[in-house]
Amino acid sequence: MKHSKEQIEATANAIMQHFIPKNESEKEFSFHFTIPPSSNYKVRYELNNHRKWILVGYEADDSNH
C-alpha cells in the first residue's frame, strides 16, 4: 500500500523527536520507520537556519535487510 506524502510526513514528524542527534553540531539525520502493516520508509531531516529540524526528503524502503 502506498501512502500519501502527507501521511508519511505526519508519521515521521510524530516520531522524529526520538531520532534527533544528541550531538548539537550535527546538521542532518535520517531514520527508517514502518507504517503498518508493511510499508517501510526512510526519511531525512536537516537543520535550517532557525535551528529547526525540517523534513527534506523521503523514500519507500523496499529492502529486506
Side-chain angles (χ1 to χ4, degrees), residues 2-63:
K2 291 288 183 190
H3 294 89
S4 72
K5 177 181 182 219
E6 291 77 18
Q7 288 173 306
I8 295 165
E9 288 181 359
T11 303
N13 287 334
I15 63 175
M16 61 89 84
Q17 294 293 328
H18 299 286
F19 300 96
I20 292 175
K22 302 223 185 309
N23 182 341
E24 292 185 15
S25 68
E26 296 288 332
K27 298 195 181 334
E28 63 181 55
F29 70 96
S30 63
F31 62 91
H32 295 82
F33 66 94
T34 301
I35 298 177
S38 61
S39 297
N40 300 304
Y41 297 96
K42 178 182 179 182
V43 292
R44 190 167 61 89
Y45 284 81
E46 289 182 358
L47 199 58
N48 71 8
N49 293 337
H50 303 288
R51 307 279 310 155
K52 183 175 178 184
W53 291 105
I54 304 296
L55 179 66
V56 294
Y58 70 89
E59 61 189 56
D61 183 6
D62 296 326
S63 62

